[in-house]
Amino acid sequence: MSAQPDHAPATVGAPAPGAPAELLDQLRADRRADTWVPAFEREWAAALEESRRTFSLGGLYKVVQDWQGRLASAPAVDAFVASGYDDSQFIDMAELRGRRR
């Protein structure tokens, strides 16, 4: 018999206690700091408020994991953009929606 109910969502591994501060330092050192730091701080503040209401750290963990993923994938995104990709053949969905009206 398990002490956890069957309907409980699977929990993700918790980040290290210092992970948010380390992440913020990395964001501040990135060339995108002007946009990324305020965005991280907004998401962190919202997750912190949710955590206070729900007594759950899940939202805080998710913010850290999402931003760690953004930082980890940033070099690949930069390389893709720098490669001179041609996206002119893609459909502009906003333009397509405008034609239907």
Side-chain angles (χ1 to χ4, degrees):
M1 185 180 326
S2 173
Q4 188 168 0
D6 293 337
H7 65 278
T11 56
V12 199
E22 291 172 15
L23 180 58
L24 189 54
D25 287 343
Q26 291 173 348
L27 291 172
R28 286 181 176 139
D30 193 274
R31 69 177 179 81
R32 301 165 192 84
D34 291 345
T35 55
W36 279 15
V37 169
F40 171 79
E41 289 174 340
R42 279 191 305 272
E43 289 182 30
W44 182 259
L48 189 57
E49 185 57 37
E50 176 189 341
S51 174
R52 289 180 180 137
R53 284 193 319 271
T54 63
F55 298 100
S56 170
L57 299 175
L60 295 169
Y61 294 168
K62 184 172 182 343
V63 169
V64 170
Q65 291 167 346
D66 287 351
W67 280 97
Q68 285 172 333
R70 286 182 183 119
L71 270 175
S73 63
V77 172
D78 290 343
F80 176 72
V81 171
S83 73
Y85 67 94
D86 178 12
D87 66 349
S88 62
Q89 300 302 315
F90 291 99
I91 297 172
D92 182 353
M93 294 305 291
E95 182 181 331
L96 187 60
R97 285 185 205 106
R99 289 183 187 171
R100 285 193 219 160
R101 292 181 183 161

